Every structure is written in C-alpha cells, then in structure tokens.
Amino acid sequence: MKPVPFSDAPIRLRPFGSERLDEIKALYENAGWTAYLQNDDKLLRAFDSSLYTLGAFADGRLVGFARCVGDGEHIVYLQDLLVDIPWQRRGIGRRLMEQVLEHYHGVRMFLLCTDAGDDGANAFYRALGLTSPDSGYRFYVRP
C-alpha cells in the first residue's frame, strides 16, 4: 500500500482498535515491518489484546499510532510507534509518545526496544527523556 499523502489537516489523537486493520497493515507495510503482515488473525488478536492503542488521525485517516502491552500498573511495554512516511518530522510521534507517557506516568517500569544502530530513533527517545539502562538491568531475548 502507498503512504497516505500529507495534508494540512489537524492531527487528532484518540484510542482505536483492530477495526482499522487495513490502515494498521498499511502503516506496517510502509515502515517495512513485514513480520506483522504474515497472519491477519494473529494481528487482530495482538491488537485486541493490547493494553492501549493510541492513533493519530488526519481527516479521519490513521497516519500513525502507538501500541502498548503490559499490565498498566507495574509494567508497560511500548510495542510499536509508527508514523507514516509523509507525516514524519511533524511532531506526531512526539505527541503520541508524550500522551502514552502521561497516560502511564505512575507505572513502575516503562520499556521499549529499538535498534541500537538506529541513531534517529535513539536520539528521538533520548529527547523525550528516556534513558538506556547501561547498568542495573539486563534484557534477554529468545533466539
């Protein structure tokens, strides 16, 4: 799918769900996150089981979103933060992150992962006041 063209439409943030599956899939595809596109039923279950999904809408169209998983009290993990390519560098990702961080301001542990070599993403998260735990925590992944 092609990215949604940019317009001067105001951006509105609001929760949403899997009813927007086609738009969700287009955003993943445009970002090159193809692992999400292998199975629609799995993707529906993933969204329906998410703790919080916050969308950025322009003229009623989904142009970005943040998706969180966790228990909302002790841990929240930012699973996805996506903004469609023509809409990037307009503060939408920052607005999504700020609202998510405010929504979960009292949670004990807020986590996300990004590629260590992605300088842009790492600078973005640091600019929001997030830090990388160089000590005190160790993360493990299944090979």
Side-chain angles (χ1 to χ4, degrees), residues 9-14 54-59 61 63-64 95-96:
I11 301 298
R12 296 194 182 3
L13 303 185
R14 65 177 170 81
L54 181 66
F57 294 87
D59 290 328
R61 297 172 301 178
V63 298
R95 285 182 58 200
L96 287 163

Side-chain angles (χ1 to χ4, degrees), residues 24-71:
I24 292 165
K25 288 172 56 177
L27 287 171
Y28 282 132
E29 184 177 337
N30 294 339
W33 294 8
T34 57
Y36 288 97
L37 304 174
Q38 306 306 310
N39 184 316
D40 283 2
D41 290 334
K42 249 185 178 178
L43 186 55
L44 280 168
R45 285 191 304 274
F47 264 78
D48 290 341
S49 299
S50 295
L51 181 63
Y52 186 55
T53 51
L54 181 66
F57 294 87
D59 290 328
R61 297 172 301 178
L62 183 67
V63 298
F65 67 86
R67 181 168 74 96
C68 299
V69 297
D71 61 25

Side-chain angles (χ1 to χ4, degrees), residues 61-133:
R61 297 172 301 178
L62 183 67
V63 298
F65 67 86
R67 181 168 74 96
C68 299
V69 297
D71 61 25
E73 297 295 334
H74 295 280
I75 190 164
V76 170
Y77 181 86
L78 180 72
Q79 177 65 37
D80 301 312
L81 177 65
L82 282 174
V83 176
D84 206 4
I85 295 161
W87 294 86
Q88 291 177 3
R89 311 243 2 120
R90 291 173 165 72
I92 296 168
R94 173 176 282 280
R95 285 182 58 200
L96 287 163
M97 278 299 298
E98 287 173 348
Q99 189 157 330
V100 165
L101 290 167
E102 174 59 27
H103 190 77
Y104 292 108
H105 71 275
V107 75
R108 186 172 65 85
M109 188 174 287
F110 184 92
L111 303 169
L112 64 88
C113 291
T114 194
D115 294 330
D118 187 336
D119 294 335
N122 284 284
F124 172 77
Y125 293 120
R126 281 192 305 272
L128 288 165
L130 300 176
T131 60
S132 178

